[in-house]
Amino acid sequence: MGFWLRLAQQAAFEAFHRRMAPLGLTPGRMALLLLLEEGPDRRQAEIAEALRIKPSNLAVLAGGLEAEGLIRRVEDPRDRRAVRLRLTPAGRALLRRAKQQEAQVEADLAARLDPATRTMLLDALRRIAGA
Amino acid sequence: MGFWLRLAQQAAFEAFHRRMAPLGLTPGRMALLLLLEEGPDRRQAEIAEALRIKPSNLAVLAGGLEAEGLIRRVEDPRDRRAVRLRLTPAGRALLRRAKQQEAQVEADLAARLDPATRTMLLDALRRIAGA
DNA sequence: TATTGTTATACTCTATAACTATA
DNA sequence: TATAGTTATAGAGTATAACAATA
């Protein structure tokens, strides 16, 4: 099972890369942008936990996106150690295009799966991940 | 879907590591040993293709296993450029123990999946990997 | 003292290019 | 010239430790 998980994940990554590389997005970047659209102004520690990455790696990720003007770091006035992240208009515009492309990625991956199988697959993956 | 594939694969890797680290085995090493048990004396190029890794990375993998006395490199008499790999008795003995542990890994992963779901999952993963 | 975020660093997996020795 | 394997190296993704600023 581990073997096929590896190959499937590899295929998923390649599908993502094919569609998203022109937009300069990796899976990690995309996940962060989506999270900020859904709920802005979260602290980085909270975001790292949601994305299941280390805060140190999120710092690098966020630094890159900020340098490209896609997100902003906002100092929390109540706790000046904390940094809250939000999308810039440029980030929002990019995300709009990215979401269309991402639908294509999902379609590529699920091309040979009927909808019911796809639903079961996602459920099974979540359960394995949470074990 | 890519997100959950990543987390599931991570969980699978951790489950493997917990059970197999005492034996000094990684997923790649285990896959190679299993392949040699199933059909010995294959050329490395052929093995790399079966495992879906690059020949250059297989060379390193095989080098390590040979240094530990688990496999042997045998020069092909018909084509002295080619190298064929086979298990040593030590490799065979380790593999026997490893296979018992691997059954535990699979059990850990499939713990919350009924057998039918597990079958469906494997089938879906194979299809995604082959896309 | 403890916590937030950052930097530096290391380890694994994967990929490419250059090399050798055969063919 | 082409092929099998090897080496060196570089790029992602992920992990830990040490640090500065703030609490």
Side-chain angles (χ1 to χ4, degrees), chain A residues 16-34:
Chain A
F16 189 98
H17 206 259
R18 265 197 306 279
R19 300 275 188 184
M20 303 299 235
L23 300 180
L25 291 180
T26 61
R29 285 172 153 233
M30 181 71 179
L32 176 52
L33 294 181
L34 283 171

Side-chain angles (χ1 to χ4, degrees), chain A:
Chain A
M1 197 159 104
F3 181 73
W4 290 107
L5 275 171
R6 173 174 76 89
L7 294 188
Q9 208 237 341
Q10 227 164 31
F13 186 84
E14 275 159 28
F16 189 98
H17 206 259
R18 265 197 306 279
R19 300 275 188 184
M20 303 299 235
L23 300 180
L25 291 180
T26 61
R29 285 172 153 233
M30 181 71 179
L32 176 52
L33 294 181
L34 283 171
L35 198 72
L36 294 184
E37 181 187 48
E38 177 190 300
D41 290 349
R42 301 204 223 193
R43 291 184 308 103
Q44 287 191 186
E46 196 185 340
I47 292 168
E49 193 185 7
L51 297 182
R52 312 242 210 147
I53 63 178
K54 300 289 161 190
S56 57
N57 295 324
L58 177 56
V60 177
L61 197 60
L65 291 172
E66 189 184 36
E68 295 172 26
L70 300 171
I71 68 173
R72 276 209 311 148
R73 275 183 231 243
V74 184
E75 189 183 75
D76 186 328
R78 300 191 185 190
D79 182 344
R80 283 168 44 224
R81 293 172 305 181
V83 179
R84 293 177 183 275
L85 303 182
R86 66 171 59 156
L87 292 172
T88 62
R92 224 171 272 282
L94 179 66
L95 189 53
R96 210 171 307 125
R97 288 196 293 150
K99 281 166 89 170
Q100 295 174 345
Q101 285 300 102
E102 204 206 17
Q104 289 297 313
V105 175
E106 290 286 309
D108 292 347
L109 290 177
R112 291 179 195 168
L113 305 179
D114 55 285
T117 302
R118 195 191 116 94
T119 303
M120 277 202 290
L121 172 64
L122 278 173
D123 183 60
L125 290 176
R126 276 193 210 99
R127 278 197 253 182
I128 291 173

Side-chain angles (χ1 to χ4, degrees), chain B residues 6 10 43-45 55-56 59 73 81-83:
Chain B
R6 174 174 77 89
Q10 230 165 28
R43 290 184 306 103
Q44 287 191 190
S56 57
R73 275 183 233 244
R81 293 172 305 184
V83 179

Side-chain angles (χ1 to χ4, degrees), chain A residues 113 116-125, chain B residues 113-127:
Chain A
L113 305 179
T117 302
R118 195 191 116 94
T119 303
M120 277 202 290
L121 172 64
L122 278 173
D123 183 60
L125 290 176
Chain B
L113 305 179
D114 55 284
T117 303
R118 194 191 117 93
T119 304
M120 178 283 302
L121 171 65
L122 278 173
D123 183 61
L125 291 176
R126 276 194 209 98
R127 279 196 253 181

